[in-house]
């Protein structure tokens, strides 16, 4: 190109040729070139070049841009997909058995996934229902305590008041104190979670008001009730204006119901049942020493880091109060992350969701998913090899490999969608309700208005489609037509991949069975574990100090009462840990006060020494009984003469009790101490009932109670039931694990069944010939057996080794102390798997045995 | 077929193509508009308008001869169709009818 004769900028020209529709390219390019040379003469090369580029850019518009597919091609595509769908559906129908195995397996797995998704989402997404959630922050401060600086989720009231008055960008400040209060109406009385907060609470948080107006709460004699609480008292009517009596810390007052609001969903960190004016909490206390959680609602669009910077001035204010509490720094924690960070923020609100169940559920769901997907891969590969002629013909006609892959993926999508629908039905109708019963949660499958769930479902559908369909699709589309028709494509040849997957499935099944069996084993062990005392036929009644004697003497007249003992609280319901000291050694231990008779009454066996003796006055003041763990912890050779200091009082040990469980089994046994006290300080009576009369006795005592005490409700429980909750949780877990194990066995058996069946079908003609020549059924199936039994046995061995490790981890986290995975679960699991495999193969064997060789040989 | 109403630039292009009679194609239309009205229209706009007018049936086109400056590329020649001509006539009559209704005596204050 000579310098004297400039040409249009090359990049622009190329760009034009690249994007322009070839049908238009000639005239368009001609025009711009002509314009270029015209402008070259008129305006000079620089301007001409610039204009050329500008023209090219301006021509880059929809009507000129080349599009790959024009209309006719699109139509073809649709027709092709229609054909894929039709062929896919026909194939599903034609090969009903393997298709059913696939669909059932996948839908079971999807059901499991849905349950765990719902549960995990529910646990992780907390406090999300507030409309202004992103503007609400919990006020925090950092302070020095216990040799370190920690973050605390509260302020003093004085500081909270300052924030309300002074700071720009803060729209509302809500203080929030909770305290258990007793609410009474007529002869009903309930203990409720009372919240002390002002009426702005309803501006900031999205609790819907059902009856009444929040302004009513400006009056300190009005309260707000949660819907369920109101229903309990008043039934379904509008309770506004009704009077309830509320006891706050020993002081009773009448309140008028001003507001009824809908309670929080149970993933909320704040769930007040009664909202009371804050003045009732303050009383005469100094606002500088009184603390509360403070929620700040910021103005829209305000950056919370700016607000934090402003708030730092409070540090000097607080420290100017000259109290013990010195702030280092003031901060804000978003409401939405408050629960997640509740480990870090002391005395904040909300709690971190427990990780162990989430991990367990996620593991179960992925196990199931893996099993079902592997089933699919194996069966689909085997199924597709029967359609090898179709593939050959399609290839000859001209479809390329990509199109075949798309075809198989489409078929897979149909199947997965089917499984999806079934899985949702399964989850909604069976899995989730059952799971709710076990876990005590209230999960619901609301597909229509739950965006996260919809996203999850769509994601899962595509994941399943590709994860399960990719290998079969690529495997099958690889065959060469020439070899297919010549018959030299070794279809059923070495299927190492398939066999590998099957092995893996059986290993997983093995692990889940071992987990299931081990949990059953440990559960039984737990439920039969001795508690260390006699919990049978004992009725526990809680009462007040004033009515203690009156009730006791009245109750003793009852013929069903054999014996009675008093204590401050009953075993397994008591949480009082105190520091205990002997010389320099110090441990924290359980401290239970009772009358002199209680330990003997509970039949806690003595190891050494004696029980308390009422006749010895010092036993009621300076004597204690300890457990064996106490002796071990303090390494006492001889308990006599040892002086134990608890709360700066000295005690003598008079006896050693054998170890007993005073809290959950997982917690194990730490040092524990009984201290005898006069009856006047005790609030719990434990009655030994006549055998089988316990329930009768409870009802009788309830009416006795009504004669003596009219105000407080009768509160009683059976000593044998204090572990009910603990056992229930474990039974729930056991049920989940056993269910998982049975699913896993079912899925892997189905996979094996499908594979064996396809394997046999492919060699039906072989078998026919062999049979004619006189082979027995055993001969025929010898190598089928050999192949599959090797897999199962290998899986049992490998699975056992893995299970010992994996299941042990699980057991440690659930049961704490547990029987290790021993030969029982391993043997049972192995036996079960071998049996299932044998049965599965034998069902198929029947087909071969009953087969008439003439028939197979005649066809085709 | 799209509606028969045409815009201002469409009318202008239609007129110019009519005026050029034979030999109307992108660049010649662009040059003619510039000469006759002084307006500089981008070539992309001309192409878009001509395509639209062809869709409406006011123009027809065929590939014509090539020239050196076009690097041997052929051009697409456009011709006015009878319905294009009719539309021009209709547009003109509407304009004239309205124009004639302007009162000659009244003075219109332009300086608002």
């Amino acid at each position: 190109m000579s310098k004297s004769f400039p040409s249009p900028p090359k990049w622009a020209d190329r760009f034009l040729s690249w994007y322009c529709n070839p049908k238009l390219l000639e005239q368009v390019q001609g025009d711009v070139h002509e314009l270029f040379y015209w402008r070259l003469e008129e305006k000079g090369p620089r301007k001409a070049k610039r204009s050329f580029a500008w023209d090219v850019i301006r021509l880059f518009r929809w009507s000129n841009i080349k599009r790959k597919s024009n209309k006719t091609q699109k139509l073809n595509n649709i027709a092709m997909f229609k054909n894929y769908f039709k062929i896919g559906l026909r194939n599903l129908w034609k090969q009903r058995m393997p298709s059913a195995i696939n669909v059932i397996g996948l839908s079971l797995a999807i059901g499991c996934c849905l349950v765990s998704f719902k549960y995990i989402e529910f646990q992780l997404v907390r406090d999300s229902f507030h409309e202004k959630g992103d503007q609400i922050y919990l006020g925090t401060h950092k302070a020095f305590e216990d040799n370190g600086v920690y973050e605390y989720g509260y302020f003093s009231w004085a500081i909270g008041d300052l924030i309300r008055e002074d700071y720009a960008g803060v729209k509302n400040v809500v203080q929030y104190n909770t305290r258990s209060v007793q609410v009474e109406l007529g002869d009903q009385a309930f203990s409720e979670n009372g919240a002390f907060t002002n009426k702005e609470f309803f501006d900031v948080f999205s609790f819907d008001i059902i009856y009444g107006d929040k302004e009513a709460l400006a009056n300190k004699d009005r309260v707000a009730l949660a819907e369920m609480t109101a229903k309990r008292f008043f039934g379904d009517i509008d309770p506004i204006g009704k009077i309830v009596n509320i006891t706050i810390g020993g002081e009773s007052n009448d309140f008028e119901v001003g507001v009824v609001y809908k309670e929080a969903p149970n993933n909320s960190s704040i769930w007040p049942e009664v909202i009371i004016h804050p003045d009732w909490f303050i009383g005469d206390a100094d606002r500088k020493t009184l603390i509360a959680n403070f929620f700040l609602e910021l103005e829209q669009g305000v950056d919370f880091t700016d607000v934090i910077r402003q708030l730092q001035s409070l540090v000097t204010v607080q420290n100017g109060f000259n109290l013990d509490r010195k702030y280092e720094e003031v901060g804000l924690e978003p409401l939405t992350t408050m629960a997640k960070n509740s480990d870090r923020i002391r005395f904040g609100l909300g709690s971190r969701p427990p990780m162990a169940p989430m991990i367990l559920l996620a593991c179960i769901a992925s196990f199931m998913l893996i099993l079902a997907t592997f089933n699919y891969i194996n069966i689909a590969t085997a199924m597709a090899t029967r359609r090898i002629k179709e593939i050959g013909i399609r290839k000859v006609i001209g479809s390329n490999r990509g199109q075949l892959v798309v075809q198989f993926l489409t078929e897979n999508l149909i199947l997965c969608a089917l499984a999806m629908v079934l899985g949702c039905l399964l989850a909604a109708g069976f899995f989730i309700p059952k799971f709710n019963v076990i876990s005590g949660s209230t999960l619901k499958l609301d597909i229509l208005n739950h965006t996260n769930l919809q996203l999850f479902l769509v994601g899962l559908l595509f994941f399943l489609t590709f994860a399960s369909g990719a290998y079969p699709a690529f495997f099958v589309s690889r065959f060469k037509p020439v070899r297919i028709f010549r018959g030299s494509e070794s279809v059923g040849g070495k299927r190492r991949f398939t066999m590998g997957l099957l092995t893996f499935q059986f290993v997983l099944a093995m692990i889940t069975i071992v987990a299931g069996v081990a949990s059953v084993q440990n559960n039984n062990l737990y439920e039969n574990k001795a508690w260390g005392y006699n919990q049978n036929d004992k009725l526990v009644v809680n009462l007040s100090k004033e009515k203690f004697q009156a009730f006791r003497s009245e109750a003793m007249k009852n013929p069903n009462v054999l014996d009675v003992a008093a204590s401050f609280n009953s075993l397994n319901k008591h949480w009082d840990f105190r520091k205990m000291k002997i010389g320099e050694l110090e441990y924290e231990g359980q401290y239970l006060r009772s009358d002199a008779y209680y330990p003997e009454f509970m039949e806690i066996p003595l190891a050494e020494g004696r029980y308390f003796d009422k006749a010895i006055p010092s036993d009621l003041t300076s004597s204690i009984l300890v457990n064996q763990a106490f002796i071990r912890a303090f390494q006492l050779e001889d308990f006599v003469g040892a002086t134990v200091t608890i709360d700066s009082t000295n005690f003598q040990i008079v006896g050693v009790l054998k170890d007993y469980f005073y809290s959950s089994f997982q917690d194990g046994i730490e040092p524990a101490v009984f201290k005898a006290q006069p009856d006047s300080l005790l609030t719990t009576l434990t009655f030994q009932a006549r055998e089988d009369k316990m329930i009768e006795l409870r009802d009788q005592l309830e009416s006795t109670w009504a004669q003596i005490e009219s105000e407080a409700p009768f509160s009683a429980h059976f000593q044998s039931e204090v572990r009910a909750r603990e056992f229930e949780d474990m039974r729930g877990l056991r049920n989940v694990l056993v269910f998982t194990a049975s699913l896993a066995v079912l899925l892997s058996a189905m996979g094996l069944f499908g594979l064996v069946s396809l394997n046999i079908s492919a060699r039906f003609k072989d078998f026919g010939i062999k049979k004619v020549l006189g082979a027995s059924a055993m001969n025929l199936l010898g190598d089928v057996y050999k192949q599959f039994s090797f897999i199962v046995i290998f899986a049992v061995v490998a699975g056992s080794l893995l299970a010992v490790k994996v299941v042990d981890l699980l057991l440690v986290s659930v049961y704490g102390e547990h029987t290790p995975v021993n030969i029982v679960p391993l043997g049972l699991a192995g036996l079960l798997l071998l049996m299932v495999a044998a049965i599965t193969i034998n069902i198929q064997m029947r087909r071969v045995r009953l087969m008439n060789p003439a028939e197979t040989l005649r066809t085709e | 077929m799209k509606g028969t109403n045409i815009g201002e630039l469409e009318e202008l292009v239609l007129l110019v193509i009519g005026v050029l009679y034979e030999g109307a194609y992108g660049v010649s239309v662009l040059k003619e508009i510039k000469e006759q009205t002084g307006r500089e229209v981008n070539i992309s706009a001309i192409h878009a308008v001509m395509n639209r007018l062809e869709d409406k049936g006011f123009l027809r086109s065929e590939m014509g001869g090539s020239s050196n400056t076009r690097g041997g590329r052929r051009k697409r020649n456009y011709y006015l169709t009878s319905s294009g001509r009719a539309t021009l006539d209709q547009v003109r009559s509407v304009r004239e009818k309205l124009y004639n209704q302007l009162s000659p005596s009244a003075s219109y204050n332009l300086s608002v």
Side-chain angles (χ1 to χ4, degrees):
Chain A
M1 205 88 2
S2 64
K3 269 181 194 170
S4 60
F5 199 72
S7 57
K10 263 196 186 150
W11 65 267
D13 210 20
R14 271 199 203 137
F15 179 53
L16 181 69
S17 328
W18 174 70
Y19 73 71
C20 193
N21 189 340
K23 286 182 183 165
L24 298 174
L25 182 64
E26 186 172 7
Q27 46 154 326
V28 169
Q29 209 168 20
D31 277 3
V32 285
H33 275 253
E34 194 179 335
L35 272 176
F36 174 77
Y37 292 112
W38 175 56
R39 288 202 187 105
L40 196 64
E41 281 168 26
E42 299 229 316
K43 294 172 178 164
R46 275 190 62 180
K47 219 152 188 201
K49 277 184 185 173
R50 209 180 305 149
S51 296
F52 182 87
W54 181 235
D55 282 345
V56 167
I57 291 167
R58 289 285 299 270
L59 278 164
F60 184 67
R61 48 171 82 188
W62 187 240
S63 56
N64 295 336
I65 294 173
K66 86 173 139 198
R67 269 147 275 171
K68 261 211 179 114
S69 53
N70 55 28
K71 275 175 192 164
T72 47
Q73 267 175 342
K74 251 182 211 158
L75 270 177
N76 250 342
N77 265 345
I78 289 172
M80 208 158 73
F81 273 103
K82 254 164 105 180
N83 177 268
Y84 289 168
F85 268 91
K86 194 177 269 176
I87 297 277
L89 285 174
R90 279 180 190 165
N91 256 314
L92 283 185
W93 189 242
K94 201 173 146 199
Q95 312 203 350
R96 272 168 300 232
M97 194 274 297
S99 307
I101 290 179
N102 280 337
V103 171
I104 292 171
L106 283 175
S107 56
L108 285 174
I110 290 168
C112 290
C113 282
L114 282 176
V115 175
S116 58
F117 171 78
K118 282 297 294 187
Y119 180 77
I120 292 172
E121 198 225 13
F122 179 81
Q123 289 289 336
L124 284 183
V125 181
R126 292 203 165 225
D127 299 306
S128 58
F129 67 100
H130 300 292
E131 278 161 31
K132 298 184 194 158
D134 50 345
Q135 286 158 257
I136 306 174
Y137 294 86
L138 174 73
T140 64
H141 70 266
K142 286 194 177 144
F144 189 82
E145 196 175 283
D146 297 345
N147 312 320
V149 174
Y150 297 100
E151 193 165 4
Y152 295 83
Y154 63 85
F155 290 138
S156 67
W157 281 55
I159 294 289
D161 290 342
L162 280 175
I163 300 176
R164 188 167 317 173
E165 285 157 17
D166 275 357
Y167 288 85
V170 181
K171 195 168 165 194
N172 271 315
V173 176
V174 175
Q175 80 271 47
Y176 188 83
N177 284 96
T178 54
R179 171 170 198 177
S180 171
V181 295
Q182 180 140 324
V183 183
E184 283 168 52
L185 175 83
D187 53 353
Q188 290 174 289
F190 293 100
S191 180
E192 307 279 340
N193 179 25
F196 296 84
T197 182
N198 34 4
K199 64 180 169 41
E200 282 82 22
F201 180 78
F202 288 101
D203 294 332
V204 174
F205 297 106
S206 302
F207 288 94
D208 295 334
I209 293 179
I210 301 173
Y211 300 116
D213 180 14
K214 67 174 164 43
E215 294 306 323
L217 297 179
N219 185 331
K220 66 179 265 188
D221 291 326
R222 297 225 178 89
V223 291
L225 297 182
E227 193 189 3
M228 291 311 287
T229 311
K231 266 199 182 137
R232 230 178 306 155
F233 289 121
F234 307 105
D236 277 331
I237 56 157
D238 176 356
I240 300 300
K242 301 263 185 199
I243 304 294
V244 290
N245 185 283
I246 300 180
T247 310
I248 306 160
E251 193 190 334
S252 290
N253 282 293
D254 281 346
F255 291 87
E256 192 185 324
V257 178
V259 169
V260 174
Y261 58 89
K262 205 158 182 58
E263 54 263 291
N266 55 358
N267 60 349
S268 175
S269 298
I270 31 183
W271 46 279
E273 291 172 315
V274 185
I275 292 180
I276 305 169
H277 196 278
D279 283 1
W280 293 102
F281 190 84
I282 304 175
D284 312 322
D286 181 2
R287 296 175 87 94
K288 287 175 189 163
T289 53
L290 209 60
I291 58 167
N293 298 114
F294 279 87
F295 288 101
L296 280 67
E297 183 201 343
L298 305 188
E299 302 276 1
Q300 211 149 16
V302 171
D303 185 6
F304 83 105
T305 47
D306 287 345
V307 179
I308 291 179
R309 211 168 306 131
Q310 285 184 49
L311 289 177
Q312 296 314 320
S313 58
L314 292 170
V315 173
T316 30
V317 177
Q318 167 74 22
N319 297 348
F321 291 160
N322 275 326
L323 298 170
D324 290 345
R325 194 81 190 163
K326 302 275 189 261
Y327 289 6
E328 304 277 334
E329 195 184 330
V330 175
L332 294 176
E333 179 68 26
L335 179 69
T336 42
T337 57
M338 180 179 81
K340 205 168 62 194
N341 292 332
S342 57
D343 284 0
R344 176 166 58 81
I345 302 170
R346 297 181 166 194
F347 303 105
L349 281 169
S351 58
R352 221 172 118 98
M355 290 310 284
M358 286 199 269
I359 293 173
L360 182 69
L361 277 180
C363 281
I364 290 175
S366 37
F367 267 36
M368 290 298 138
L369 215 51
I370 290 173
L371 284 174
T373 313
F374 283 7
N375 265 357
Y376 183 89
I377 294 175
N378 280 344
I379 293 175
T381 315
M383 260 162 82
T385 49
R386 289 169 132 198
R387 294 167 58 187
I388 197 150
K389 287 231 167 80
E390 178 196 334
I391 294 156
I393 289 171
R394 274 182 192 274
K395 278 199 160 175
V396 168
I397 289 175
S399 61
N400 54 30
R401 194 170 170 196
Q403 279 170 319
L404 280 172
V405 169
V406 170
Q407 184 197 343
F408 278 97
L409 284 181
T410 315
E411 286 179 19
N412 191 13
L413 186 71
I414 299 174
L415 193 129
C416 287
L418 209 66
M420 205 87 194
V421 174
L422 256 177
C424 288
L425 289 178
L426 255 180
F430 180 64
F431 286 177
I432 290 189
K434 284 270 180 238
F435 183 76
N436 280 346
V437 172
I438 289 174
S439 67
S441 46
T442 53
L443 302 180
K444 253 196 340 241
L445 201 66
D446 41 357
I447 296 176
L448 291 181
N449 41 24
H450 188 163
T451 351
N452 280 354
L453 183 63
Q454 287 162 357
L455 287 177
F456 177 73
L457 281 178
V458 173
L460 188 64
L461 178 61
F462 281 97
F463 170 75
L464 271 183
T465 305
F466 285 103
S468 61
Y471 176 76
F474 282 100
F475 172 73
V476 164
S477 60
R478 204 176 46 198
F479 296 138
K480 299 227 162 25
V482 180
R483 300 186 57 186
I484 291 174
F485 293 120
R486 207 197 288 148
S488 60
E489 189 71 85
S490 60
V491 179
K494 42 180 179 179
R495 290 223 292 277
R496 250 181 246 143
F497 184 69
T498 306
M499 294 305 163
L501 294 188
L502 192 68
T503 314
F504 190 67
Q505 277 186 314
F506 272 84
V507 171
L508 280 191
M510 183 77 195
I511 295 174
T512 45
I513 302 171
V514 172
V517 175
S519 81
V520 171
Q521 209 184 11
N522 274 295
N523 258 27
N524 290 344
L525 196 80
Y526 257 68
E527 292 190 17
N528 298 328
K529 202 167 188 168
W531 295 19
Y533 59 90
N534 185 355
Q535 74 273 25
N536 297 319
D537 296 322
K538 290 198 170 58
L539 180 72
V540 183
V541 181
N542 301 319
L543 61 178
S544 64
K545 284 172 190 160
E546 294 83 42
K547 305 288 164 118
F548 186 89
Q549 283 309 336
F551 183 75
R552 179 175 183 157
S553 52
E554 205 52 43
M556 283 311 288
K557 290 176 190 159
N558 193 312
N560 287 328
V561 174
L562 290 181
D563 205 353
V564 68
S567 58
F568 183 73
N569 208 339
S570 66
L571 275 174
N572 272 74
K573 287 254 174 188
H574 185 62
W575 293 98
D576 184 0
F577 286 85
R578 303 203 180 182
K579 287 191 173 127
M580 300 166 180
K581 244 171 127 173
I582 297 180
E584 288 303 301
L585 276 175
E586 186 179 274
Y587 284 100
E588 200 155 75
Q590 157 96 343
Y591 180 78
L592 179 58
R593 287 162 286 166
S594 67
D595 69 3
Y597 182 43
Y598 190 75
E600 194 179 348
F601 171 80
M602 293 307 281
E603 297 171 45
I604 306 172
L606 262 184
E608 286 173 88
R610 60 173 176 86
Y611 289 116
F612 292 124
D613 189 346
K614 237 187 259 181
I616 304 170
S618 70
D619 267 14
L620 287 181
T621 52
S622 59
S623 300
I624 53 171
L625 287 173
V626 300
N627 64 355
Q628 289 169 313
F630 185 97
I631 301 291
R632 280 195 299 277
F634 287 98
Q635 297 155 7
L636 293 180
E637 296 285 320
D638 184 13
F639 68 90
V640 182
T643 305
V644 184
T645 313
I646 302 170
D647 293 346
S648 63
T649 313
N650 292 333
F651 296 100
Q652 303 298 322
I653 300 171
V654 294
V656 179
L657 298 169
K658 287 214 169 117
D659 279 340
Y660 56 92
F661 285 93
Y662 52 81
S663 84
S664 82
F665 286 136
Q666 283 103 315
D667 292 345
I669 299 172
E670 302 282 318
V673 161
F674 269 105
K675 155 95 179 72
Q677 272 189 333
D679 288 355
S680 60
L681 296 171
L682 302 174
T683 55
T684 302
L685 279 176
T686 307
F687 295 95
Q688 174 79 47
R690 211 173 277 283
E691 215 168 320
D692 300 330
K693 297 284 187 195
M694 200 156 62
I695 295 167
E696 201 178 306
L697 177 65
R698 185 188 59 190
D699 297 340
Q700 287 163 349
L701 288 185
E702 188 164 1
S703 48
T704 312
W705 177 270
Q707 294 161 19
I708 294 168
E709 172 84 277
S710 53
E711 282 165 23
F714 182 66
S715 146
H717 63 264
F718 302 127
Q719 184 67 38
S720 53
E721 274 178 3
V722 293
R723 286 229 156 81
R725 178 79 219 162
E726 192 183 335
F727 285 150
E728 217 171 274
D729 285 353
M730 280 186 190
R731 273 181 219 134
L733 180 81
R734 181 196 65 193
N735 291 347
V736 168
L737 287 176
V738 169
F739 178 70
T740 311
S742 15
L743 268 192
V745 173
L746 184 70
L747 282 177
S748 30
M750 284 198 315
L752 181 68
F753 183 81
L755 267 189
V756 174
S757 129
L758 288 168
N759 194 309
I760 288 177
S761 302
R763 296 159 62 183
F764 231 50
K765 212 168 267 173
D766 280 11
F767 289 147
I769 294 169
K770 282 185 184 164
K771 218 170 173 182
V772 170
L773 294 176
S776 69
M778 207 51 230
N779 279 339
L780 292 179
L781 287 161
D783 48 328
V784 177
Y785 254 137
K786 217 188 287 163
Q787 196 178 14
F788 287 103
S789 59
F790 173 74
I791 286 179
V792 177
I793 290 169
F794 177 79
V796 167
V797 174
S800 303
L801 295 177
L802 265 173
V804 171
K805 296 250 176 250
V806 176
V807 177
D808 216 52
L809 275 180
L810 177 77
L811 293 177
V812 165
S813 71
V814 177
Y815 296 98
E817 191 190 333
H818 64 275
T819 35
V821 181
N822 51 24
I823 192 72
V824 178
L826 290 179
L828 267 175
L831 209 66
L832 186 69
L833 267 190
L834 286 175
M835 260 168 55
V836 167
I839 290 171
T840 316
I841 295 176
N842 273 314
I843 291 174
Q844 291 298 322
M845 197 167 164
R846 232 179 116 244
R847 258 174 78 204
V848 178
R849 226 174 32 230
L850 298 178
M851 166 188 83
N852 182 357
E855 222 138 89
T856 40
L857 293 175
R858 203 188 314 140
T859 48
E860 203 175 317
Chain B
M1 199 197 259
K2 296 179 182 170
T4 48
N5 284 331
I6 56 173
E8 195 259 351
L9 184 63
E10 284 177 326
E11 188 190 342
L12 195 63
V13 170
L14 211 51
L15 280 168
V16 168
I17 289 172
V19 168
L20 288 169
Y21 191 51
E22 305 257 315
Y25 66 100
V27 176
S28 66
V29 171
L30 182 135
K31 284 183 181 167
E32 191 68 17
I33 289 177
K34 197 188 168 193
E35 254 165 53
Q36 299 259 3
T37 68
R39 273 173 70 171
E40 288 224 31
V41 188
N42 191 281
I43 185 72
S44 65
I46 303 268
H47 274 288
V49 166
M50 291 199 303
N51 285 338
R52 208 154 49 214
L53 288 172
E54 196 178 2
D55 281 348
K56 288 179 180 176
F58 301 150
L59 293 178
R60 66 186 172 79
S61 66
E62 58 190 36
M63 296 307 281
S66 59
S67 72
N68 246 353
T69 49
R70 297 175 66 85
R73 296 180 186 89
R74 287 176 301 165
K75 49 192 153 198
R76 183 173 282 274
N77 286 325
Y78 287 84
Y79 306 95
L80 192 63
T81 62
S82 54
S83 79
R85 176 66 205 241
T87 308
L88 281 176
D89 288 346
Q90 195 205 342
V91 169
R92 183 182 171 194
S93 73
V94 170
R95 287 240 169 115
E96 253 159 30
K97 202 172 107 200
L98 286 169
Y99 185 81
N100 289 336
Q101 286 170 30
L102 288 178
S103 155
S105 57
S107 68
Y108 291 97
N109 188 357
L110 296 172
S111 62
V112 179

